[in-house]
Amino acid sequence: MSGSAWGDGTRSVRAGERPASPGAPLRPSPVFAAPFHLGDLPPRAGGADGYARTEQPTLRDFEAAVGELDGGRCLSFATGMAALTAAVLACAGSGDRVVLPSDGYYTTRLLAAEELERFGIEVSYVATPEIEEYAAGGGLDDARLVLLETPSNPLLDVCDIAAVTRAARAAGALVAVDNTTATPLGQRPLALGAHMTVGSDTKALTGHSDLLLGHVSVTDDELFRRVKGFRDRTGSTPGPFEAWLGHRSMSTLDLRLARQAANAAAVSELLARSPAVTGLRWPWREGDPSFALASAQMLRPNGVVSAELADEAAVSRLLSATRLWIAATSFGGVHSTVDRRAQWGGDAVAPGFVRFSCGIEDTADLLEDLSAALDALG
Ligand SMILES: Cc1ncc(COP(=O)(O)O)c(C=O)c1O
């Protein structure tokens, strides 16, 4: 069921749904099956399901919903990394060159260094703020695929998807966009010309810090076939319980994003006023280096903010002084969290650099708690 004029709240709940039928639940319950009864004779009756690694009804419902938000056909994966792996390896092989963000999610760079290069794929790394110029200057001429991550995690830089895509298409390269931070409500890379939009649905899309999921959405049928074939053969299909929980969770995406963004707006003002904080980044705050492009390209803000405290000890003091902000990695969940990125290695950030993920608690409570914790830094 789709309504192109519907708002984000309606789309979060109703995207991909089949018309309700009397006596049936509003949303189908999960179907727990690995094999399905095949019937007595081939061909299978009416294209019925055969085996859940490749087809199953609960996954189809979830994919229909996410695909509708993305404006494409969605394939769901067991994790965001499985989705990224499929996006790259379904398209690139030995002797191909792929261009990845040098400032994006660290495990994507590990995927390249530890796995892709082992399979003979050449990898070039370009920073998000530099990719548009790189592409315009012919940098993608012999590339098979460029992956963008915008806003980038954790520095929250933004690049112009449409501009990079124009240059990539002219060079014959594919464009995939890691849309995790933005979410499908916050940005539609496929409408901006990208070939694939990829997400870690572990983050805000499902948003309760209790699921691992990822997805790739595409508009091209041949690309869909390739990515689905890769997933089905390598076996990174999520199970029905994850798919059902993911679908259930995304119904509240609009509400959660709205509160997270309101909290992020208030938190970034508080951080901006604190003498203990430097290097504040929130793409929707006027004056942020990403502000102009984010406002033009993105559809709505979210709750991820980054900033720098003096050092590791300052982050520890902040964490022991707060009651509401939890030390945890990942982002986009209902809880407000703080992640000192340097503890994981891999990101080019200072020891006191933190990513704040604003949850859906009351703004006043978060501000009061964070303000007291910042005061404790002296
Ligand atoms: C931008 C981005 N892409 C991909 C991933 C990987 O997702 P997952 O942990 O679901 O595999 C993450 C995880 O933090 C991420 O932040």
Side-chain angles (χ1 to χ4, degrees):
M1 200 152 67
S2 83
S4 53
W6 284 342
D8 283 356
T10 311
R11 295 169 69 238
S12 298
V13 179
R14 307 305 292 271
E17 277 193 349
R18 284 170 270 157
S21 66
L26 302 190
R27 172 92 39 92
S29 302
V31 176
F32 295 113
F36 294 80
H37 192 298
L38 294 177
D40 298 332
L41 288 173
R44 295 206 302 269
D49 290 318
Y51 190 61
R53 191 182 66 241
T54 55
E55 306 296 346
Q56 44 119 333
T58 309
L59 190 61
R60 264 198 305 280
D61 286 339
F62 179 46
E63 290 175 335
V66 179
E68 196 171 313
L69 294 193
D70 270 338
R73 292 176 76 189
C74 167
L75 287 157
S76 193
F77 287 82
T79 65
M81 286 316 301
L84 278 165
T85 303
V88 176
L89 283 182
C91 303
S94 177
D96 286 334
R97 186 168 74 92
V98 302
V99 180
L100 300 185
S102 59
D103 51 354
Y105 179 50
Y106 177 45
T107 309
T108 306
R109 293 198 300 282
L110 280 184
L111 167 73
E114 302 290 333
E115 313 296 345
L116 300 183
E117 290 181 356
R118 204 159 56 81
F119 290 106
I121 296 176
E122 189 194 332
V123 184
S124 309
Y125 301 90
V126 180
T128 301
E130 285 154 27
I131 187 68
E132 184 181 342
E133 204 181 323
Y134 178 85
L140 302 177
D141 280 355
D142 60 347
R144 175 78 186 120
L145 173 103
V146 55
L147 173 71
L148 309 178
E149 190 181 302
T150 176
S152 62
N153 167 29
L155 289 163
L156 305 180
D157 279 314
V158 168
C159 66
D160 187 330
I161 296 171
V164 176
T165 299
R166 275 193 300 277
R169 283 184 179 267
L174 295 167
V175 179
V177 178
D178 185 331
N179 201 38
T180 300
T181 311
T183 84
L185 292 186
Q187 184 166 263
R188 285 190 215 136
L190 297 176
L192 298 169
H195 298 86
M196 290 183 269
T197 178
V198 186
S200 165
D201 302 335
T202 311
K203 309 292 185 295
L205 185 86
T206 64
H208 290 70
S209 306
D210 52 10
L211 271 178
L212 288 165
L213 279 169
H215 79 272
V216 178
S217 290
V218 301
T219 48
D220 180 79
D221 288 343
E222 169 58 15
L223 204 45
F224 182 85
R225 200 188 57 72
R226 289 185 69 88
V227 178
K228 183 172 186 329
F230 183 88
R231 182 194 70 181
D232 293 352
R233 288 185 284 270
T234 55
S236 47
T237 319
F241 191 62
E242 264 69 14
W244 176 76
L245 259 185
H247 198 176
R248 185 185 196 272
S249 306
M250 69 174 270
S251 304
T252 54
L253 177 60
D254 170 62
L255 295 175
R256 286 183 282 106
L257 268 186
R259 175 63 74 83
Q260 286 168 338
N263 282 341
V267 161
S268 56
E269 291 313 317
L270 176 70
L271 293 172
R273 286 195 303 273
S274 170
V277 175
T278 56
L280 171 68
R281 296 297 307 269
W282 191 54
W284 294 272
R285 186 165 188 272
E286 239 175 299
D288 188 278
S290 298
F291 179 74
L293 199 44
S295 312
Q297 172 168 279
M298 298 184 68
L299 303 165
R300 58 189 287 178
N302 60 58
V304 186
V305 175
S306 63
E308 213 171 302
L309 305 185
D311 49 23
E312 181 179 347
V315 180
S316 296
R317 285 209 302 285
L318 180 92
L319 286 170
S320 24
T322 161
R323 288 195 304 154
L324 286 177
W325 293 83
I326 303 168
T329 193
S330 200
F331 55 89
V334 292
H335 297 81
S336 289
T337 58
V338 175
D339 191 17
R340 191 178 74 80
R341 289 303 301 168
Q343 73 187 296
W344 306 105
D347 290 341
V349 293
F353 177 93
V354 284
R355 186 180 60 212
F356 292 90
S357 176
C358 300
I360 62 165
E361 301 93 337
D362 287 296
T363 311
D365 294 337
L366 287 181
L367 285 185
E368 188 187 325
D369 182 73
L370 185 59
S371 173
L374 287 167
D375 288 347
L377 299 183

